[in-house]
Amino acid sequence: MSTTHLSRRTVAALLATVTIGSMAGFVPTATASAPSLTVADSRQPNSHAEERNKRVAVHVLRQLFEEGNLKVADQYIRADYIQHNPMAPDGRDAIKNFIRDWTAQFPDHVYNVKRVIAQGDLVMVHSNPVYTPGTRGSSVVDIFRFDRKGMIAEHWDVVQDVPATTVNGNDMFGTVSRPRTNQPGPRWTTPFSQKVATAYFDTLLVDKNPDAVRYLTPEYYQHNPAIPNGSAGLREQFTNFFQQFPNLIVERKRVIAQGDLVAIHAHYRLNPEDRGQAVVDIFRVGKHGKILEHWDSVQDVPSTPPLNDNTMF
């Protein structure tokens, strides 16, 4: 195996470790019928607008991929929709063309939404889409930006195959820490959770300071399939990792927080010449100010020319 492949496996594993999370699935209040278009002016986002945007994001994903319902694209997606998935062109018509082909190939596709959070004009949807019954499917994080009229204007995603086994005994989607729910905690905890998660992320990955492990609980439940539970020994691992890759660059692109959940979308590179990986890490922060749990999706930035003029970020 080449050094490049070994390095990328190291990034997918160790870097996922450093970032920070019976299952109760996310059940939106409206999926079969269209959500209300009433939305507050998104220049001043509020909980009503954010909850409405969450319902719309889930509704659009399920109606498009499970039902092949192209009308929802016309109803909720802007014609000049900006696409950051490198395999898809910009524009609403491109989505409709893609869905026609997709549903013909995968008529039994189920999106399996696990958790949804919203902040401002952004919505993050963490899902386990299963394209063919009986298969494990993928771990997918979709990020949508809504405009002032409540239309989806822009989209980013990260897609990773779900492996057959995990070293920690946890799947990639459930919640282990208590309370065992996939729903975010109370909104009044959002600023606190965001401060803790971003402080950990920046201290460790921007400042390359292994002492950032003080932000983790001892049990630290891990859903990256290649990493064991627990924070013991991580300081030494991080120290060795930063010595091995002194030119590591991690750029935090966007943060979405709601309650005790914080999602960080970032670009990880071993050095300035590396295309790197698109990563979304989802943190669960406890009331004591320690990070309890972590989920993620990791995708290599492809070498092939994208079908749009945008980056993945």
Side-chain angles (χ1 to χ4, degrees), residues 1 10 29 49 62 66 74 92 94 105 111 115 133 139 141 163 186 189 204 234 246-247 257 263-264 275 281 310:
M1 184 176 293
T10 303
T29 57
R62 286 178 169 164
E66 296 181 357
D74 294 321
R92 181 171 61 206
Q105 185 177 1
Y111 218 80
R115 52 185 54 80
S139 172
V141 175
T189 64
L204 189 66
L234 290 183
N247 296 318
I264 296 182
R275 289 189 306 275
D281 293 284
N310 314 311

Side-chain angles (χ1 to χ4, degrees), residues 175-238:
T175 300
V176 180
S177 60
R178 295 185 180 277
R180 295 186 65 181
T181 174
N182 290 350
Q183 298 280 4
R187 284 185 179 272
W188 63 265
T189 64
T190 300
F192 174 74
S193 300
Q194 184 168 342
K195 181 178 180 180
V196 170
T198 55
Y200 173 73
F201 189 96
D202 291 348
T203 301
L204 189 66
L205 296 173
V206 178
D207 300 336
K208 298 187 177 74
N209 182 357
D211 289 338
V213 297
R214 67 182 184 272
Y215 287 99
L216 306 178
T217 61
E219 59 273 25
Y220 179 52
Y221 299 111
Q222 177 63 256
H223 293 271
N224 181 293
I227 305 300
N229 292 321
S231 59
L234 290 183
R235 180 181 281 101
E236 182 179 357
Q237 290 184 43
F238 297 152

